[in-house]
Amino acid sequence: MTQIQPEHLNPLDSMKERFSNAAKILGIDQMTYDMLINPQKVVIVSLPVILDDGKLKVFEGIRVVHSASMGPSKGGIRYSMNVTLDEVKALAAWMTWKCAVVGIPYGGAKGGIKCDPRNMSDGELERLTRSYTAAMQDVFGPDRDIPAPDMGTNQQTMAWIMDEYSKIKGISSPAVVTGKPLVLGGSLGRVEATGRGVMVTTRSAMAKLKMDPQNCTCAVQGFGNVGSISAKLLAMQGLKIVAISDVTGGYYKKDGINVEEAIEYVLKNNGTLEGFNADRITNEELLTLSVDVLVPAAMEDQITDDNAHAIKAKLIVEGANGPIASNADKILHKNNINIIPDILANAGGVSVSYFEWVQNRLGYYWTEERVNRRADRVMKQAFDTVYLASQKYDVSMRTAAYIVAIDKVASTQKLRGVF
Ligand code: NAD
């Protein structure tokens, strides 16, 4: 297993540095700056859970609401041993900027529990999730704060949250959480939404860069929800996926990987690519392959000032949140590597989460075709807006995305006033 999150990096520093760059260009005043760089609410709870062996273990649960200026706050819940408060704060802020970039009426939040979900039974995970929901019953709410899945959580986790919250409040409340199973009010198209947004924005960028998908190769780091669906949809657009990876390492085939086959393999193989028939490489090697498009879709801080100089891709599409540390930005920029930033590239998920919430509140459910059509339109429009801003201000797509987002949130904050 490759441990790839260097100790000295902190995603919150990356978020703050990029926020500050864009805020400076926009010329926002100090008061607005201070309000937007700090989270509005940080809640930390102790979660006692009886494990299967009868022993009690107390977990720490975090929920950070970065901003609720644009509407109820929205953001996933992460179960991972790497969860830290700073990481959750960074992810919460990214949700604010992401929702603003795609123009959906939400603020940003994120949750996390430090645990190892792969080594916990379903019963333990259910007790942990219900305990977290009970502890957060006055934080969550369809008009307050709406969780969703993230690393280590899935539809089942969302079903437990919906059930526990509904029981506590004595009402059926599907809109308290998104990413639910279909039968509980989930939306068609939600599972594929983030990968689909990655594909749509990649196509838009490739058109601007005059890259023909039929003649391009691609490597994808991470083969969970975002990585596997991105790889599948990009392959359907004609890109040759030469490498994929997960927590067990990297898998390379010069002539292209059959992504559907790899997805089937993972389903039958306890959720990992271990043993998949391809040349073995490391996660680090995958990042520096000679490919046209690189999609880091695993976790934060994969590309840093340590390896940025070795990146050969022409286009990097940030499927994960924060996969490029801010200390790598200058190096990549100098080497003319184009980047579709996370707050744009992976915003397809939260866009369809918004559609799920809208459908729950209407009690009226859309076809998959309608969901995809509307989500594609949101993603294309967001790409065009950010692209135009990058031309107007003569900045990278990343800085442009922050400019678009901060401008919207800052002007809303001004109208609402300060208390
Ligand atoms: P997931 O849990 O479904 O998949 C994560 C994948 O990354 C797995 O294949 C795992 O094996 C792999 N991985 C974990 N540690 C790794 C390591 N050290 N090296 C290489 N691979 C590693 O998670 P996901 O939902 O696909 O999320 C991936 C990223 O995308 C996260 O940054 C998440 O915040 C972001 N994201 C997810 C969504 C969504 O809708 N799921 C939306 C926006 C952003």
Side-chain angles (χ1 to χ4, degrees):
M1 189 194 294
T2 336
Q3 183 50 50
I4 42 179
Q5 186 162 15
E7 290 284 313
H8 63 281
L9 290 170
N10 181 337
L12 188 59
D13 293 339
S14 286
M15 192 288 294
K16 285 184 174 174
E17 190 175 331
R18 285 156 179 168
F19 170 84
S20 299
N21 286 342
K24 215 179 284 164
I25 294 170
L26 267 176
I28 68 169
D29 58 72
Q30 189 64 39
M31 185 186 80
T32 312
Y33 179 95
D34 290 344
M35 285 185 71
L36 295 185
I37 204 158
N38 292 306
Q40 283 179 0
K41 193 191 291 182
V42 176
V43 183
I44 300 178
V45 288
S46 291
L47 305 170
V49 175
I50 306 284
L51 301 179
D52 290 348
D53 62 8
K55 291 196 180 119
L56 179 122
K57 181 164 178 184
V58 180
F59 295 85
E60 185 177 85
I62 303 172
R63 186 73 179 169
V64 173
V65 174
H66 171 260
S67 168
S69 297
M70 309 288 286
S73 51
K74 185 90 190 80
I77 297 170
R78 177 171 291 194
Y79 287 0
S80 153
M81 288 309 287
N82 295 326
V83 165
T84 64
L85 182 57
D86 275 359
E87 179 193 55
V88 181
K89 282 184 181 173
L91 290 162
W94 279 323
M95 285 306 297
T96 304
W97 314 135
K98 195 179 298 187
C99 293
V101 165
V102 287
I104 56 177
Y106 285 145
K110 204 80 183 189
I113 302 178
K114 192 173 179 146
C115 64
D116 183 2
R118 291 196 313 150
N119 286 317
M120 291 173 73
S121 70
D122 280 354
E124 289 171 339
L125 285 170
E126 176 172 357
R127 293 193 289 281
L128 177 64
T129 304
R130 288 187 186 277
S131 174
Y132 180 66
T133 309
M136 295 292 175
Q137 58 177 289
D138 293 326
V139 177
F140 297 162
D143 290 305
R144 262 198 307 261
D145 178 39
I146 308 148
D150 192 70
M151 273 175 84
T153 57
N154 54 29
Q155 291 193 349
Q156 176 61 76
T157 326
M158 300 306 113
W160 290 326
I161 293 176
M162 181 266 189
D163 183 71
E164 189 63 29
Y165 183 86
S166 295
K167 277 185 182 145
I168 291 170
K169 300 289 175 188
I171 45 164
S172 173
S173 186
V176 70
V177 69
T178 62
K180 297 178 292 293
L182 274 184
V183 286
L184 287 181
S187 176
L188 290 165
R190 174 60 185 91
V191 171
E192 299 79 13
T194 307
R196 195 173 169 86
V198 167
M199 179 271 285
V200 169
T201 51
T202 305
R203 281 297 313 252
S204 301
M206 289 178 82
K208 298 279 184 214
L209 295 168
K210 308 220 174 333
M211 293 165 75
D212 175 5
Q214 307 297 327
N215 295 321
C216 286
T217 54
C218 175
V220 180
Q221 186 197 45
F223 208 65
N225 174 277
V226 183
S228 67
I229 310 268
S230 300
K232 178 173 135 186
L233 296 179
L234 288 171
M236 284 166 74
Q237 296 295 314
L239 284 97
K240 193 199 285 179
I241 311 295
V242 292
I244 55 177
S245 75
D246 69 5
V247 71
T248 65
Y251 302 80
Y252 174 81
K253 271 190 187 172
K254 187 164 74 63
D255 296 328
I257 286 167
N258 182 330
V259 179
E260 305 255 10
E261 209 175 278
I263 291 174
E264 283 289 302
Y265 184 86
V266 168
L267 280 176
K268 290 192 195 127
N269 193 44
N270 218 5
T272 76
L273 285 161
E274 186 68 66
F276 183 66
N277 181 21
D279 299 335
R280 290 303 306 262
I281 54 173
T282 63
N283 263 296
E284 289 81 355
E285 284 165 341
L286 177 141
L287 295 171
T288 55
L289 285 174
S290 195
V291 287
D292 299 292
V293 180
L294 174 64
V295 183
M299 57 191 294
E300 300 95 73
D301 295 333
Q302 299 306 292
I303 300 172
T304 68
D305 57 357
D306 286 339
N307 59 357
H309 59 275
I311 304 281
K312 299 177 196 77
K314 295 184 193 68
L315 174 64
I316 306 178
V317 188
E318 294 187 314
N321 287 311
I324 302 178
S326 57
N327 65 17
D329 281 349
K330 278 201 187 87
I331 304 169
L332 298 170
H333 188 69
K334 199 175 104 233
N335 291 345
N336 286 325
I337 295 171
N338 296 283
I339 297 164
I340 311 180
D342 45 10
I343 57 172
L344 170 62
N346 69 35
V350 75
S351 302
V352 175
S353 272
Y354 167 58
F355 295 161
E356 179 177 333
W357 179 81
V358 168
Q359 293 171 77
N360 291 155
R361 310 205 84 179
L362 286 175
Y364 172 72
Y365 289 85
W366 305 349
T367 61
E368 186 163 3
E369 192 267 332
R370 173 179 281 200
V371 172
N372 288 345
R373 184 163 29 89
R374 290 187 171 182
D376 290 357
R377 192 168 61 214
V378 165
M379 293 306 290
K380 276 196 195 113
Q381 269 175 5
F383 179 90
D384 290 344
T385 306
V386 172
Y387 185 78
L388 275 180
S390 76
Q391 308 260 293
K392 178 176 165 193
Y393 291 96
D394 192 21
V395 293
S396 68
M397 287 283 282
R398 184 187 311 284
T399 303
Y402 273 80
I403 286 177
V404 168
I406 294 170
D407 197 19
K408 281 187 195 168
V409 182
S411 44
T412 308
Q413 188 68 56
K414 273 225 155 97
L415 283 168
R416 293 184 65 154
V418 181
F419 174 65

